Amino acid sequence: MNPATELAPQLKQLRLSGILDSLEARNRQAIDAKLAYTEFLALLIQDEVARREQKKFSTRLRRAAFRATKTLEGFEFDRLPSTNRALVHDLATGRYIQEKAPVLIVGPCGTGKSHLAQALGHCVSVKPAA
């Protein structure tokens, strides 16, 4: 009998149905590597945590309604030498959110304000909320 079919209703009841996606592969890995039960369980839980984090991230990005995927890596700092890189990278840590400090990005049209705002939003949506 396949244990996944027996586990499926219980995992769904516990809201752990994501484990079903990796159960077979992790079971094979545990058998091949002769993992202890606790190591096998730890792998399954890590998979579930990663799946939930990815789902949260996707939800945050969808709710932010960004028009395009903009990142700090894609921002052309060289085009705007007056941009304070250190400050931008500090903002990317998201510390201002915990401090409840407002951030205002100003400048002429076409200087990348929207790009920076979306890139910062992308950076902080990856970090867990406090």
Side-chain angles (χ1 to χ4, degrees), residues 21-113:
D21 297 337
S22 63
L23 181 60
E24 188 175 324
R26 291 301 192 181
N27 189 39
R28 175 62 32 214
Q29 179 185 4
I31 292 169
D32 293 344
K34 296 183 171 106
L35 297 178
Y37 295 123
T38 53
E39 292 172 313
F40 170 65
L41 180 60
L43 288 173
L44 287 175
I45 291 172
Q46 288 170 6
D47 291 344
E48 179 68 12
V49 168
R51 185 188 69 80
R52 288 181 184 203
E53 288 299 318
Q54 181 58 44
K55 188 175 178 180
K56 282 186 211 174
F57 177 68
S58 298
T59 301
R60 288 181 190 134
L61 285 180
R62 189 179 67 251
R63 286 182 181 165
F66 292 150
R67 289 175 287 185
T69 302
K70 303 289 186 181
T71 62
L72 283 182
E73 293 79 23
F75 188 74
E76 297 175 14
F77 284 100
D78 296 336
R79 228 183 84 217
L80 300 163
S82 62
T83 304
N84 185 338
R85 287 184 189 210
L87 176 60
V88 171
H89 289 291
D90 182 51
L91 290 171
T93 66
R95 189 179 73 223
Y96 66 94
I97 294 172
Q98 283 80 29
E99 295 173 357
K100 295 181 173 50
V103 174
L104 181 64
I105 302 173
V106 296
C109 292
T111 56
K113 297 179 302 291

